[in-house]
Amino acid sequence: MEPKYQPELHEEKIYQFWEKSNLFEAKVDQKKKPFSIILPPPNANADLHLGHAMYVYEDIMIRFHRLIGDEVLWLPGADHAGFETQFVFEKHLKKQGKSRFDFDEGILFKMIWDFVQENRNKMESQLRRLGFALDWSKRKFTLDNDVVKIVKETFKKLFDQGLAYYDKAIVNYCVNCGTSFSDLEVVYQEKKGKLWYILYPFELMHPEKGGITVATTRPETMLGDMAVAVHPKDKRYKNLIGKAVNLPIVNCGIKIIADEVVDPKFGTGAVKVTPAHDPTDWEMAKRHNLGLRQVIDMEGKMTILTPQEFQGKKVLEARELVLQKLKELGLLVKEENHTHRVGTCYKCGQVIEPLPMENWFIKIKPLAKKAKELIVREKIKIYPKKFKKILLWWLDHFHDWNISRQIIWGIKIPAYYCNICKRWFVSVETPKKCPYCQKNHFVSVSTTFDTWFSSAQWPFATLMTQKENSKFQISNFKKEPRKTIFEYFYPTTVMETGYDILPWWVARMIMIGYFVTKKPPFFNVVLHGLVRDKKGQKMSKSKGNVINPMEMIDKYGADALRLALIYETTLGADINFSEERIIGMRNFINKVWNIGRFIYLNREFKIQNSKFKINNKMSLLLKLEKEFKEIKRKYLRLMKNYRFSPALVLLHNFLWHHLADFYIEESKKLEENDKINFFTRLEEVYLNCLLMLHPFAPFVTEAIWQVFKKGESIYQQNLISV
RNA sequence: GGCCGGUUAGCUCAGUUGGCAAGAGCGCUUCGUUCACAUCGAAGAGGUCGGGGGUUCAAAUCCCUCACCGGCCACCA
């Protein structure tokens, strides 16, 4: 053993050894308890970042459960990450002075495919460098044919039960990215703006005869107004309800209506109603049969339904023009400063334009109801528990889920519209005829699924699509039912991921997972926090505070990085990360190595002096025995409750400050016979500590174990039986 | 406006059934080390555990309240 632990000499070799020996390959074994985790599939469009290194939590669980004798499965995969990837790829194109419009769809798809394959391989080798005990024989990709088929089948099932529907509605549309989004992709930002008060007169030529004044932050949308609304109990306007006013510039009459959603305290208490460009107004228009006039198009420009001078103008230009016109007409009553929240695209930051559009939606209410039951009745447990409340809140507040994306990278929505029957049908395979009229006059849609629609199916889709042959290990008791990988490992034991994707992913997996399999997709949800920089700021390229996990591994080894992410942290809380933390853990790992080295050197000495009296009652030995027993008991309890950080602190403290600083120092003072005696037991205690540490620091513990046990792997050991 | 966190040593943070004399990492001071490890050891400085009130034999830990910081969410145009 070298005097210093040098991770670069061991890590790659060890991982190759694990992988070559198929140690991570899970099998069906009826005699054992299954323990399964599906790795949240990283996006196959970029390198791993520190957030991905947090999956070390999963590796700890997997290796720990392997250690206590469970049959473990940790299944890796990659996400095609639809819109995200297309966005990244377009940036690449832009650097080359090109855009997506320079290629036809098929070629573009193929280009992105190749780009993703390359990234995927890179990403997977990075997962290996982190030491993750993933079963590579079962790896899946969200665009694997068999997965795609399942995704489409799920959609068909939703459609058949009336839970997927096609509808024209106001959706969040980014005119820059050219696609619609679900509510979750909209980021609201505080912006300083103006609130304009506009008079809608009774008589166009005689504003002095009065009218009704409305307040708005978006005057340009008045061109699409269909009514003015007031609160039904508002005394100021009660006698005006039902009367008509003139819509300036457009020069037409619109009605004053009464609706509960109007807040009498805001502005003038009268609100302009623009059904085509505001979701609240859209709903109001439905209630009052108002109809709509779309004045903004998909490119963010004014449509031909506006007066000619506005047509083709961008929204902000149109706004200025409208204000100018109103001023000329003497109808702009006043303007005041106003801070309000504006919806922006989570990716490009552009203001989201609410537009009426036809999209596919998932009806959430019935799905959410079932999901809630699973959580409330603790069929699914959430760790840490504060997220239970948050998850339930979400399940109560989801709107219907817009799953259409107007992009090419993804799974095509397998929906077809029959021009004869005038209705939609869904077909998993490419259809030859309409199922209703048996003719072939139908068209398909060119939109793809929201990538989360496929991720929502990941736990069951990955397991259902496993090749079953030769993976069985039939138990000795032949009467046991023969089970498939899916039956054996589903529902999975744990879903571990960052709390930031709770509504995007976790909630949807529960809803869709239960819908398809009638079982929860997992029994436990464990949520980790975000990795921030030393000062608690978000890591970002622009701030230059990003720590690259691979660089850290090069410098200090994977074990040090892993421990630094766990040591003295709180599950579910963000962690402030720094290189210093890794250095501290690198030192600890070297300490562990050197304790081993010391024991190993003394072992030679022991063998040379093999004649010694047995003395098991030495006080130092008894003290050690007692303390170790206590440590092991605490460790097991903590690990079973997902309390990994305290378990690691416990081991750290015991190994360094008790075993090394106290017991080893004391042992040096012993007489020779006692010394030999003591070291015999000390070695056993130490090896047990290595086992307990192994889930956290797999490489160094394996390296030492192989020295002590002449090439045997620590991964296959059983903690209880040692 | 709703909800959820946080406030403990100079810095970053642990401290879950309330109880041994308040901890760790990094930093700092002094000393030591041919004999496993300087990626080391020994000793030490440094904290009114945000303020106030309450429950208790006992509270950093439970309850109430206030202050400050942070996060997530919401159709007030």
Side-chain angles (χ1 to χ4, degrees):
Chain A
M1 290 175 85
E2 319 93 72
K4 280 181 194 174
Y5 174 64
Q6 292 162 275
E8 65 277 14
L9 298 181
H10 301 278
E11 293 187 347
E12 198 183 340
K13 221 168 62 190
I14 288 173
Y15 199 92
Q16 280 174 2
F17 164 75
W18 285 332
E19 207 177 340
K20 252 195 339 226
S21 317
N22 296 325
L23 292 184
F24 302 148
E25 195 173 328
K27 299 185 172 81
V28 173
D29 185 342
Q30 308 288 1
K31 288 175 294 183
K32 289 186 183 172
K33 230 170 99 183
F35 182 94
S36 53
I37 300 179
I38 309 295
L39 177 80
N43 292 350
N45 60 29
D47 290 337
L48 295 189
H49 51 72
L50 267 183
H52 295 109
M54 287 296 263
Y55 295 145
V56 65
Y57 273 104
E58 292 163 43
D59 199 31
I60 291 168
M61 292 185 231
I62 286 291
R63 288 176 185 270
F64 172 69
H65 279 269
R66 172 65 203 77
L67 212 54
I68 59 172
D70 292 343
E71 180 64 27
V72 298
L73 164 65
W74 192 14
L75 194 153
D79 196 333
H80 70 284
F83 169 68
E84 288 272 341
T85 299
Q86 185 169 316
F87 189 86
V88 171
F89 189 75
E90 280 186 55
K91 270 208 275 223
H92 281 252
L93 285 181
K94 207 172 176 183
K95 275 184 200 158
Q96 300 159 23
K98 293 185 175 143
S99 90
R100 75 186 131 130
F101 303 111
D102 296 336
F103 307 93
D104 81 47
E105 275 195 18
I107 290 173
L108 190 59
F109 191 92
K110 178 74 173 62
M111 285 164 73
I112 302 181
W113 181 273
D114 293 341
F115 171 75
V116 160
Q117 291 314 315
E118 196 186 315
N119 274 297
R120 182 187 178 189
N121 289 334
K122 213 163 139 196
M123 176 272 279
E124 289 180 344
S125 75
Q126 292 176 340
L127 290 173
R128 287 178 169 90
R129 292 202 64 198
L130 283 158
F132 292 170
L134 291 156
D135 182 352
W136 294 105
S137 73
K138 297 184 179 60
R139 73 201 259 273
K140 298 300 295 183
F141 178 45
T142 48
L143 295 187
D144 285 345
N145 285 332
D146 45 9
V147 173
V148 169
K149 188 161 174 263
I150 286 181
V151 170
K152 289 180 174 177
E153 278 165 0
T154 300
F155 178 67
K156 182 166 165 50
K157 196 171 170 187
L158 285 161
F159 177 78
D160 290 344
Q161 298 190 20
L163 294 174
Y165 64 92
Y166 190 75
D167 193 23
K168 185 165 186 173
I170 297 285
V171 295
N172 310 298
Y173 192 86
C174 176
V175 297
N176 184 39
C177 297
T179 182
S180 64
F181 289 116
S182 82
D183 295 339
L184 295 178
E185 279 80 27
V186 181
V187 177
Y188 288 89
Q189 287 182 1
E190 290 262 308
K191 284 201 175 160
K192 280 180 188 164
K194 291 252 163 42
L195 188 62
W196 287 278
Y197 289 75
I198 305 166
L199 177 68
Y200 288 7
F202 294 129
E203 289 179 37
L204 202 54
M205 306 315 286
H206 301 283
E208 72 282 0
K209 289 187 179 169
I212 194 161
T213 302
V214 298
T216 181
T217 55
R218 297 198 61 186
E220 73 281 9
T221 62
M222 69 170 288
L223 302 176
D225 280 4
M226 304 305 283
V228 171
V230 297
H231 194 274
K233 287 185 183 157
D234 194 331
K235 285 176 197 156
R236 294 171 291 180
Y237 302 118
K238 215 159 187 179
N239 54 348
L240 293 182
I241 294 165
K243 294 204 168 137
V245 287
N246 259 287
L247 182 60
I249 302 176
V250 181
N251 300 337
C252 69
I254 54 174
K255 250 191 183 175
I256 296 170
I257 60 169
D259 198 289
E260 297 277 344
V261 298
V262 180
D263 177 2
K265 289 192 217 79
F266 186 89
T268 61
V271 58
K272 56 195 268 321
V273 182
T274 322
H277 302 289
D278 184 284
T280 312
D281 294 1
W282 173 268
E283 291 303 319
M284 227 188 301
K286 270 200 213 165
R287 286 194 289 272
H288 299 271
N289 280 320
L290 295 179
L292 81 162
R293 187 163 62 245
Q294 183 173 345
V295 295
I296 300 166
D297 68 12
M298 311 285 283
E299 289 173 4
K301 292 176 180 164
M302 306 311 280
T303 66
I304 51 165
L305 296 181
T306 59
Q308 202 178 2
E309 55 205 298
F310 296 96
Q311 292 177 15
K313 291 235 165 24
K314 285 190 173 172
V315 165
L316 290 181
E317 292 168 359
R319 181 175 301 172
E320 291 311 313
L321 201 52
V322 165
L323 288 169
Q324 191 194 320
K325 288 256 164 197
L326 289 171
K327 256 182 216 163
E328 286 165 13
L329 293 165
L331 296 172
L332 190 61
V333 179
K334 65 169 173 174
E335 63 175 53
E336 55 188 35
N337 290 325
H338 179 65
T339 305
H340 63 144
R341 293 167 57 85
V342 179
T344 60
C345 171
Y346 85 107
K347 203 72 210 172
C348 76
Q350 286 267 322
V351 173
I352 288 285
E353 201 62 61
L355 290 175
M357 224 180 136
E358 288 169 326
N359 277 286
W360 284 94
F361 293 86
I362 304 291
K363 202 179 274 178
I364 289 292
K365 273 240 165 71
L367 299 173
K369 199 182 155 209
K370 295 283 183 194
K372 270 181 74 179
E373 271 175 38
L374 293 173
I375 294 156
V376 169
R377 291 161 60 194
E378 305 232 313
K379 302 285 177 204
I380 298 174
K381 293 194 185 121
I382 318 283
Y383 300 86
K385 59 175 180 282
K386 67 171 175 179
F387 291 112
K388 179 174 172 179
K389 229 175 142 176
I390 297 174
L391 187 53
L392 288 172
W393 184 92
W394 271 108
L395 288 167
D396 273 330
H397 290 81
F398 276 124
H399 297 163
D400 279 1
W401 177 11
N402 173 13
I403 53 167
S404 297
R405 297 292 176 275
Q406 289 72 34
I407 57 173
I408 63 123
W409 180 242
I411 301 171
K412 273 248 157 71
I413 298 181
Y416 305 87
Y417 185 75
C418 176
N419 283 320
I420 294 171
C421 305
K422 304 287 177 210
R423 63 193 285 198
W424 287 93
F425 65 94
V426 172
S427 171
V428 174
E429 307 295 338
T430 309
K432 296 208 169 68
K433 55 190 182 181
C434 164
Y436 308 116
C437 65
Q438 313 300 327
K439 303 248 167 58
N440 66 345
H441 297 286
F442 55 80
V443 289
S444 65
V445 290
S446 62
T447 52
T448 56
F449 285 121
D450 177 0
T451 206
W452 294 106
F453 182 70
S454 49
S455 340
Q457 305 178 46
W458 201 232
F460 64 85
T462 49
L463 289 171
M464 279 175 173
T465 52
Q466 290 303 320
K467 289 188 185 67
E468 308 288 350
N469 47 340
S470 79
K471 298 288 190 288
F472 291 105
Q473 187 176 315
I474 308 229
S475 96
N476 294 338
F477 308 97
K478 294 238 166 85
K479 281 171 193 161
E480 289 285 340
R482 183 187 170 113
K483 283 190 172 181
T484 62
I485 291 281
F486 174 73
E487 287 166 325
Y488 186 67
F489 285 113
Y490 189 89
T492 58
T493 319
V494 172
M495 171 46 62
E496 196 282 338
T497 191
Y499 69 78
D500 53 326
I501 52 175
L502 197 65
W504 280 265
W505 198 38
V506 179
R508 287 161 172 174
M509 276 191 289
I510 298 172
M511 292 191 286
I512 301 290
Y514 186 81
F515 172 75
V516 173
T517 68
K518 292 291 167 263
K519 282 180 184 170
F522 31 74
F523 294 123
N524 301 283
V525 175
V526 177
L527 296 161
H528 65 245
L530 275 40
V531 185
R532 298 172 169 277
D533 80 355
K534 205 176 175 174
K535 293 172 193 158
Q537 290 183 306
K538 210 170 171 183
M539 286 189 186
S540 69
K541 277 183 206 154
S542 54
K543 281 184 200 145
N545 59 354
V546 176
I547 296 178
N548 179 336
M550 295 306 132
E551 268 174 36
M552 294 300 111
I553 291 176
D554 289 340
K555 274 172 95 171
Y556 308 109
D559 288 333
L561 173 67
R562 293 166 57 115
L563 295 195
L565 290 167
I566 304 293
Y567 188 77
E568 287 195 322
T569 60
T570 303
L571 183 64
D574 293 353
I575 78 165
N576 292 0
F577 200 72
S578 63
E579 198 162 333
E580 287 78 46
R581 285 181 69 95
I582 309 178
I583 292 171
M585 291 301 109
R586 189 268 319 261
N587 295 352
F588 170 59
I589 281 163
N590 188 57
K591 190 73 189 178
V592 172
W593 173 266
N594 268 289
I595 296 169
R597 183 159 186 262
F598 178 76
I599 294 173
Y600 193 72
L601 295 175
N602 277 283
R603 191 191 201 186
E604 301 299 314
F605 169 80
K606 191 175 75 192
I607 292 161
Q608 284 162 22
N609 304 275
S610 58
K611 287 176 191 168
F612 60 91
K613 287 181 207 157
I614 293 170
N615 174 11
N616 281 331
K617 292 197 178 146
M618 198 193 321
S619 65
L620 192 64
L621 195 57
L622 291 174
K623 195 170 150 71
L624 174 64
E625 295 276 2
K626 196 180 155 207
E627 198 173 338
F628 174 68
K629 250 172 107 174
E630 180 76 14
I631 294 290
K632 190 165 164 182
R633 221 194 61 237
K634 280 189 187 165
Y635 170 85
L636 287 170
R637 201 190 62 221
L638 290 168
M639 293 297 282
K640 284 176 183 170
N641 290 309
Y642 307 106
R643 304 203 55 220
F644 306 120
S645 180
L648 176 59
V649 170
L650 183 78
L651 289 174
H652 177 275
N653 188 48
F654 177 70
L655 275 163
W656 199 325
H657 302 301
H658 294 229
L659 202 72
D661 292 348
F662 179 75
Y663 288 103
I664 286 183
E665 290 311 315
E666 287 296 310
S667 76
K668 289 177 183 170
K669 299 174 195 160
L670 293 172
E671 287 177 23
E672 248 169 50
N673 268 355
D674 283 348
K675 209 182 233 178
I676 294 163
N677 234 321
F678 185 75
F679 278 120
T680 308
R681 186 59 185 137
L682 181 67
E683 182 176 322
E684 288 170 32
V685 169
Y686 173 67
L687 290 176
N688 261 280
C689 287
L690 286 185
L691 283 173
M692 292 194 283
L693 188 63
H694 178 253
F696 299 92
F699 288 116
V700 70
T701 48
E702 176 76 291
I704 301 169
W705 191 273
Q706 291 193 7
V707 171
F708 274 78
K709 299 282 187 178
K710 304 201 171 67
E712 219 174 78
S713 173
I714 195 171
Y715 185 80
Q716 292 169 293
Q717 303 306 313
N718 195 316
L719 182 60
I720 308 303
S721 68
V722 168

